[in-house]
Amino acid sequence: MSSEKTPIAPGSNFIRNIVERDIEHGTYANRPWAGQPGDAATQATGTLDPAKIRTRFPPEPNGYLHIGHAKSICLNFGLARDYDGICHMRFDDTNPEKEEQEYVDSITDAVKWLGFSWDGFGTSHLYYASNYFDFMYRAAEHLIETDKAYVDQQTADEMRANRGTLTEPGKDSAWRNRPVAESLALFRDMRDGKHADGAMILRAKIDMASPNINMRDPAIYRIKRATHHNTGDTWCIYPMYTFAHPIEDALERITHSICTLEFEDQRPFYDWLLENLRDGGLLANPLPKQYEFARLNLTYVVLSKRKLIDLVENKHVNGWDDPRLPTLAGARRRGYTAEGFRLFADRIGVSKADSWIEYTILEDCMRETLNESAERRIAVLDPIKLVIDNYPDGQTEDCFAPNHPLHPELGKRVVPLSKELWIEREDFMETPSKGYFRLFPDNMVRLRYGYVVKCTGFEKDSAGNITTVHCEYLPDTKSGTPGADSIKVKGNIHWVSVPHAYPAEVRLYDRLFKEAHPGAGDRNYLDDLNPDSIKIIHAQLEPALKDANPEDHFQFERHGYFVADKKDSAPSMPIFNRAVTLRDVWQK
């Protein structure tokens, strides 16, 4: 497998061009801001908005964020940061059955971890769609009163049958032309709990013959008796997402409402709704504009909420923060960094075209940021014993290793050396292959940061497995001394002292799926699970690692980048997870 990689230039971002154009033309330069979300009358009391632009990140709190959400977070918060704006943190909590405070907490934690804040211009911009329910109800009544909405009593099957197809127009409901007063009275009865769930809905009255099916009298309110995490049992009717979302944007004075491509066909309704509410005096100009970009399609992962739930609930993984999952909670626990995600978002850019991003690009971004930030430590993952026969019994001496070769200001640490050491099993061969320069009988190598040693023999157990390697050291060859260069050797191996070593559990994580496109064709995506996505080993680590705190990152020399597990580590007994190898081992 090749370790070569193709350099990735920063990706293009067409939305930046739109933002820069709007700033140049002063599209939003003179709009007032009342210091809080509000209708036209409220905003008219405000002063000039100090934010040049307003974006928003609007997740529904019904699950954990995944890597795809990181792209949207970096895009929306990054635009606000770069153009003297603010990004609102808004929970689109209009569906009471699926939303929980647990998800609210996990989402805010993830956004903060990625390095972003919704505080700006002297206030916090954390909002809940459910706080706008009163206005949404008022907006719905306005549409009814202007004959732009009606209460429909068709069954769900009848509505589906009458909706039409891409080539055939829909059919008007028998209730479409009921008197305004009758629809208004029924809607108020819906609000007051006088009708059963599903008995009727409120629909916008647009055009049942529209070539855009989303404009064929879309539903905007439904009856749903469910306790809401924020409003409790105040409401038994709830707005549909396509109705609520544009109103939320307008009340918050969002300038650029950035969505993924599946919302492109909803944009005509977005504009229709806001223009009607503006013309009725409910919302202020200038109205938000919606722009769509391609969602993240990443090889070797599944981002479908249904499949992620299946993986968790059927215990193919160990919970939502399993380091193999593409959730941000899992990625963070694995050792992926916020800096790596921000670099990844910059690298892949933003476009309108759907495309697949190679998982290797994400891993390379993690390597690049971890190479810069992670201090170096020594770990022997597959240990066998090396005995220095001519080293004095009971003696210990200090060797010195740099904490980070790129940052000498971080200094050096002591690595104790003694008569017995742990080395990697692969660093000794009884019969060396061509080009093998590490330990084998009569060959010399350098103990990294220590002495040159010469292999003098080895021991095997009854099964023929090598258990101990013997050597002698050359006393005048210690690293950092004048004699260090007196003998030239081709091999350089790492080690830890047996009496000082810290035995620890190390989890070697790899990609959860073995195929680039899990479930492609007619395959069951579960058949593409990688049986080697986790391997738990017991390694020998240098003693300094015993003091690692949860989420401390290190490069284990020669092995990759590791993090002290934030969940299972105990004081002075950290468990380490492999975030990423030093090189790409998947590229064919």
Side-chain angles (χ1 to χ4, degrees):
M1 295 183 179
S2 173
S3 62
E4 296 181 1
K5 63 181 181 182
T6 302
I8 304 296
S12 61
N13 186 332
F14 76 97
I15 295 178
R16 285 185 176 272
N17 299 332
I18 293 170
V19 170
E20 290 172 1
R21 178 202 66 196
D22 288 342
I23 291 175
E24 181 182 354
H25 293 170
T27 305
Y28 301 100
N30 298 314
R31 73 194 188 290
W33 167 248
Q36 61 183 0
D39 60 10
T42 300
Q43 296 303 340
T45 67
T47 58
L48 190 67
D49 192 344
K52 288 185 178 179
I53 65 169
R54 288 184 182 267
T55 59
R56 81 289 174 271
F57 176 61
E60 182 180 1
N62 65 351
Y64 287 83
L65 299 185
H66 56 60
I67 293 172
H69 293 112
K71 177 180 178 180
S72 180
I73 293 168
C74 292
L75 172 59
N76 282 286
F77 281 92
L79 287 170
R81 174 199 62 206
D82 295 344
Y83 293 100
D84 297 323
I86 192 72
C87 182
H88 294 189
M89 180 73 229
R90 181 209 302 153
F91 288 100
D92 246 320
D93 56 347
T94 58
N95 187 349
E97 290 184 318
K98 298 182 179 180
E99 295 155 1
E100 297 179 16
Q101 187 63 39
E102 172 191 354
Y103 300 133
V104 171
D105 295 340
S106 72
I107 290 169
T108 54
D109 185 55
V111 175
K112 289 177 180 178
W113 173 70
L114 283 172
F116 298 108
S117 170
W118 43 86
D119 294 341
F121 305 106
T123 189
S124 171
H125 297 276
L126 173 63
Y127 303 116
Y128 293 84
S130 55
N131 288 340
Y132 311 141
F133 281 168
D134 286 337
F135 180 87
M136 291 177 190
Y137 178 83
R138 176 180 154 208
E141 283 207 350
H142 171 78
L143 292 179
I144 297 171
E145 290 167 346
T146 55
D147 202 23
K148 295 294 176 64
Y150 62 98
V151 172
D152 193 357
Q153 290 175 258
Q154 293 182 99
T155 66
D157 288 341
E158 287 172 337
M159 285 185 60
R160 193 176 300 112
N162 289 330
R163 196 182 187 201
T165 66
L166 293 174
T167 57
E168 296 179 355
K171 297 176 182 179
D172 286 358
S173 165
W175 314 104
R176 192 174 197 267
N177 294 315
R178 72 192 325 160
V180 166
E182 185 178 322
S183 276
L184 190 59
L186 284 171
F187 187 54
R188 289 172 178 173
D189 287 346
M190 290 168 58
R191 174 199 63 190
D192 295 339
K194 295 180 180 180
H195 300 284
D197 289 13
M200 53 189 67
I201 62 168
L202 183 67
R203 297 177 72 179
K205 186 188 289 189
I206 308 177
D207 181 5
M208 289 300 295
S210 172
N212 183 343
I213 291 181
N214 296 292
M215 297 295 281
R216 295 180 187 174
D217 292 8
I220 57 177
Y221 256 95
R222 80 283 202 199
I223 306 170
K224 186 180 288 290
R225 285 170 174 79
T227 299
H228 191 282
H229 79 99
N230 187 27
T231 60
D233 295 317
T234 302
W235 297 91
C236 66
I237 58 171
Y238 290 95
M240 305 298 287
Y241 175 83
T242 51
F243 176 78
H245 183 75
I247 290 176
E248 297 156 23
D249 284 347
L251 293 175
E252 294 179 16
R253 306 245 67 189
I254 300 303
T255 58
H256 301 80
S257 180
I258 304 167
C259 307
T260 46
L261 279 177
E262 66 264 31
F263 293 100
E264 188 170 29
D265 289 341
Q266 294 286 355
R267 192 188 337 141
F269 178 70
Y270 184 101
D271 293 338
W272 178 92
L273 175 61
L274 295 187
E275 288 164 5
N276 273 282
L277 297 179
R278 175 201 60 196
D279 294 347
L282 277 72
L283 296 175
N285 268 326
L287 296 172
K289 290 293 183 182
Q290 177 177 301
Y291 303 95
E292 305 85 19
F293 70 98
R295 67 165 58 239
L296 177 64
N297 296 307
L298 193 63
T299 58
Y300 292 97
V301 301
V302 295
L303 298 178
S304 156
K305 185 170 291 185
R306 177 183 61 82
K307 291 178 179 177
L308 292 175
I309 290 172
D310 180 32
L311 289 169
V312 172
E313 291 187 349
N314 291 302
K315 303 190 183 305
H316 298 289
V317 294
N318 299 316
W320 285 101
D321 62 349
D322 187 302
R324 294 166 294 175
L325 272 186
T327 57
L328 291 182
R332 178 179 180 177
R333 188 174 167 202
R334 179 165 176 165
Y336 284 9
T337 65
E339 296 84 357
F341 276 116
R342 295 197 297 268
L343 178 60
F344 178 62
D346 287 341
R347 288 264 168 93
I348 62 177
V350 179
S351 75
K352 295 279 284 190
D354 269 323
S355 61
W356 284 95
I357 303 298
E358 293 293 332
Y359 197 83
T360 295
I361 297 175
L362 176 61
E363 291 178 320
D364 283 344
C365 289
M366 296 302 161
R367 290 187 184 99
E368 190 169 328
T369 56
L370 285 165
N371 180 57
E372 178 67 26
S373 63
E375 291 195 7
R376 277 42 171 176
R377 294 293 185 268
I378 303 170
V380 178
L381 302 188
D382 186 16
I384 59 170
K385 188 173 289 186
L386 176 70
V387 178
I388 308 174
D389 292 318
N390 64 334
Y391 196 85
D393 292 339
Q395 178 172 307
T396 298
E397 65 181 286
D398 293 341
C399 297
F400 298 92
N403 286 316
H404 200 303
L406 303 179
H407 297 287
E409 70 276 10
L410 294 177
K412 296 184 178 182
R413 67 192 186 282
V414 171
V415 180
L417 180 139
S418 63
K419 185 182 184 74
E420 293 189 348
L421 309 176
W422 295 115
I423 64 170
E424 295 288 350
R425 189 172 300 276
E426 66 177 19
D427 285 346
F428 174 80
M429 292 185 71
E430 180 180 357
T431 304
S433 57
K434 184 178 180 180
Y436 185 84
F437 298 117
R438 283 166 273 176
L439 278 173
F440 55 86
D442 295 324
N443 190 50
M444 291 192 292
V445 301
R446 175 169 293 281
L447 299 176
R448 191 165 171 82
Y449 314 121
Y451 294 96
V452 171
V453 297
K454 181 177 182 180
C455 180
T456 57
F458 55 92
E459 301 173 24
K460 292 183 177 181
D461 61 18
S462 57
N465 300 308
I466 295 170
T467 57
T468 306
V469 179
H470 290 270
C471 68
E472 293 182 349
Y473 83 115
L474 283 62
D476 295 328
T477 61
K478 188 177 182 181
S479 295
T481 68
D485 296 327
S486 61
I487 294 181
K488 301 295 184 182
V489 294
K490 293 183 177 180
N492 190 317
I493 66 173
H494 68 269
W495 50 272
V496 292
S497 165
V498 170
H500 301 92
Y502 161 48
E505 178 179 311
V506 174
R507 299 164 180 174
L508 304 178
Y509 287 106
D510 207 336
R511 299 178 186 179
L512 182 59
F513 291 95
K514 61 187 177 183
E515 298 293 335
H517 302 285
D522 296 327
R523 294 197 312 271
N524 182 336
Y525 82 102
L526 294 174
D527 292 338
D528 293 332
L529 284 168
N530 177 13
D532 299 318
S533 61
I534 179 173
K535 181 181 180 182
I536 298 176
I537 62 173
H538 291 86
Q540 298 288 342
L541 316 182
E542 69 164 276
L545 284 168
K546 196 168 188 178
D547 297 326
N549 295 313
E551 295 196 275
D552 282 352
H553 293 82
F554 301 96
Q555 184 197 98
F556 287 1
E557 296 182 7
R558 289 176 56 191
H559 292 304
Y561 296 97
F562 291 74
V563 66
D565 187 89
K566 63 178 292 189
K567 187 175 184 179
D568 295 338
S569 292
S572 299
M573 290 291 289
I575 292 170
F576 289 91
N577 301 329
R578 183 173 66 188
V580 66
T581 54
L582 288 178
R583 299 172 189 83
D584 177 19
V585 296
W586 280 77
Q587 188 175 345
K588 303 295 183 182

